[in-house]
Amino acid sequence: MLASLLLDTVHPILKSGADSVHMHMPWWLAGFLIDGVYLAVAWVIAVMLPPMAIFFPMFTLLEDFGYLPRVAFNLDSLFNKSGAHGKQALTMSMGFGCNAAGVVATRIIDSPRERLIAIITNNFSLCNGRWPTQILIATIFIGAVVPDSLSSFASLLAVIGVAVLGLAFMFGVSWALSKTVLKGEVSTFNLELPPYRPPRFWKTIYTSLIDRTVIVLWRAIVFAAPAGAVIWLISNVHMGDETIAAWLINGMDGFGFLLGLNGVILLAYIVAIPANEIVIPTILMLTVMVTGIGGGAGAGVMFELDSINATGDILRAGGWTLLTAINLMLFSLLHNPCSTTIYTIYKETNSVKWTVVASIMPVILGFVVTFLVAQIWRLFL
Amino acid sequence: MENYSPLLALSIFFIVVALLYVLFRPTKGWFWIIRKAFESSEKVIIEDVLKQLYHFETSNNRVDMKTLVQILDFKNTDIVEAVKKMTINDLIYSESDVLKLTEEGRDYALRIVRVHRLWERYLADKTGIHKKEWHDRAESMEHRLSHDEADELAEHLGHPKFDPHGDPIPTKTGKMASVHGVELPLLPVGSIGKITHIEDEPEVIYKQILAEHIYMGSLLKVIENNSTRIVFESEGEEFKLAPIVAANLTVALIEKEVVLEDNITRLSSLEENETAKIIGISKENRGDSRRRLLDLGFVKGSNVSIDLLNPLGNPNAYLIKGTSIALRKDQASKILIKKD
């Protein structure tokens, strides 16, 4: 509802307003501001706000109720085995909503070492911006390989599989970190279990909306706006006879092929560092632009189609196979955190070193995993 | 791209990974070995020789060139070279075969020992580095810290008298407190004592002691002592050690007629539906973690009972001063209680 309002109603109005006789806005300014900046911001709000407005208050209610510390209590011995803190179970679940919020939530961990582990591995929780990508790609490609009656079940299983894989990476990386680089940090553990009590409902809703939803959303908007501008610019500014986007895509195609992906996906992930939500619209826009097939709304204008089949057709025309889809799902799990999260990590750790580690390490993991999957796939299938 | 084949790509990948592994694997990687070779300068060899001589001297053993070369992990020619230089500089002299420290050499050795033990103290109190690693880290740090830095460190730590294993730390002027007590196997059955020192060399034996959860400062009572094993009781638990392992524990006999209170145990042994009073926190629990426990109310005289048992066995929640606090087993084992 929010999406259709912002993307399908307001956007055309703004566009036609800019074209109207009174405004005389040159095409490039209208494109830059409305197709670029506005659309990116609108997209982020449309994808992010509804789940966050539901997820965060629910989570805060559980917290207030006294339930969450008991989750940490029960799961601690699992986390202890990988050198982490039981409370990481909570920050990790928070990460399923938004990694930036998850990173902020690590403040509840009082031991410096375990807190750093929780911050660095938070990115392995699939966040709000990445769930739709997973679901969409799984529906189009994974669902297509099994009989129709099973297709929704298969794609559901694939998405859950990716999320569980994320958990496995979270435990594995926690373990590796605590055995190597974080060996010397002080580690303490104690956990207070507050008594169960009825939550203060309205106060909780209010604070969770203000503290979490609005702050996270605001940061996302601040970072999404320039991303929209960049996306519009690279697909409209020409260098020689090609757009910048086309140059970049051609340049990265070789590397993308090695990873079982392609240049379009890599470029989309670079320009979408500020917000995972705009990855799919950017991929669609770039694919249409590069392949020159019909559809879409013009260079630099991100779009998504109502029909899943039509989206699948565009992607297949862009050269996508089942391997591309699987690796995209893996890469969506294992890539750098969005810039909001990176900035939050910097604010929380106050250390450039750990921010760099937390940002680079998942991408390297992503490269290695997708690379291995691609080679083995091509060898045996 | 023309020559691409998945097999080729995979093999290049594995070659790169293998190369990185050979270069950077922990401690044995070439990168670390080369870096260590650069660090093991003459200074390091001289200081290690001095330290060995000092340790042999305090345990009334004699060293000749042969044993020295066997013990130290350097190239033989380097050691011979270093010993020659030290003799010229009046740090050591030799009586027939036996190498001995001069007054000056002993001072130098004491300074190295001081830095080593101070650094172990620092690692124990101010960092979260595991006990197993203290020795190795101090071993490399002792060559790097200058005299002034050592003094600064000592001040920062509050001029500690003992290192975390119970070895005395020499003062600036080379004075040392003495360790009270005798090796555990020498104690007769029935004697009561307090662990004052846990020797951290050789590593194999030290690791065994750590695995048994034997802590500094614990009171113990010898139950059985023969040539095959030594059994003692401490903090409500029974420990069995081989004599060679037990010899690494130094125990100070308690002369006064103190009766070892039978029902002092560790918090980790508290069962459901039992209540207890807290006697204190073991010395093993240091730094931030100790302070935090005290803040939470784990102080002498508080009543404690189990609030919640964990389905996975660890951690358990303890009810103390009306709040429920979850502690892991290894923390709870460092809190001493007396069951009601």
Side-chain angles (χ1 to χ4, degrees), chain A residues 53 70 80 106 118 120 191 201 204 254 273 278 296-297 301-302 318 326 363 375 380:
Chain A
R70 280 158 174 89
N80 189 16
T106 61
I120 294 172
L191 175 68
F201 190 80
T204 307
I273 285 176
I278 54 175
V301 188
M302 291 177 281
I326 291 175
V363 195
Q375 309 314 317
F380 294 106

Side-chain angles (χ1 to χ4, degrees), chain A residues 288-344:
Chain A
V288 167
M289 195 181 85
V290 171
T291 53
I293 54 169
V301 188
M302 291 177 281
F303 68 95
E304 229 166 29
L305 298 169
D306 290 336
S307 141
I308 285 176
N309 287 332
T311 313
D313 289 340
I314 291 186
L315 293 177
R316 286 201 186 87
W320 284 45
T321 59
L322 184 57
L323 171 66
T324 325
I326 291 175
N327 273 357
L328 177 77
M329 287 173 77
L330 289 173
F331 195 68
S332 157
L333 172 72
L334 302 169
H335 70 90
N336 55 289
C338 68
S339 50
T340 317
T341 309
I342 296 178
Y343 176 68
T344 313

Side-chain angles (χ1 to χ4, degrees), chain A residues 63 85 87 90-91 104-111 115:
Chain A
E63 202 177 324
H85 197 291
K87 285 181 193 165
L90 309 187
T91 64
V104 175
T106 61
R107 287 180 191 171
I108 57 172
I109 301 177
D110 46 10
S111 159
R115 178 154 184 236

Side-chain angles (χ1 to χ4, degrees), chain A residues 70 73-78 80 84-86 110 114 183-193 254 257-258 368 371-372 375-376 378-379, chain B residues 1 4 6-7 9-10 13-14 126-129 133 137 288-289 292 296 308-312 314-317 323-328 331:
Chain A
R70 280 158 174 89
F73 172 72
N74 281 336
L75 292 179
D76 179 67
S77 79
L78 282 182
N80 189 16
H85 197 291
D110 46 10
E114 277 82 351
K183 210 152 60 172
E185 306 282 333
V186 183
S187 151
T188 56
F189 174 86
N190 39 62
L191 175 68
E192 197 180 326
L193 301 178
F257 176 73
L258 268 185
V368 170
F371 172 82
L372 288 177
Q375 309 314 317
I376 290 166
R378 284 171 191 151
L379 263 186
Chain B
M1 274 302 118
Y4 169 81
L7 213 54
L10 267 185
F13 173 78
F14 282 117
K126 306 283 177 186
T127 72
I129 290 169
E133 288 182 37
R137 282 172 187 252
D288 284 348
S289 154
R292 186 87 182 111
L296 286 171
L308 254 182
L309 284 172
N310 196 304
L312 295 172
N314 200 9
N316 290 324
T323 357
S324 174
I325 307 284
L327 292 180
R328 288 178 180 165
Q331 290 171 300

Side-chain angles (χ1 to χ4, degrees), chain B residues 251-269:
Chain B
V251 178
L253 268 182
I254 292 176
E255 311 275 331
K256 288 174 285 176
E257 287 286 306
V258 222
V259 190
L260 184 62
E261 288 188 76
D262 288 331
N263 47 1
I264 288 187
T265 56
R266 296 174 172 179
L267 182 56
S268 49
S269 68

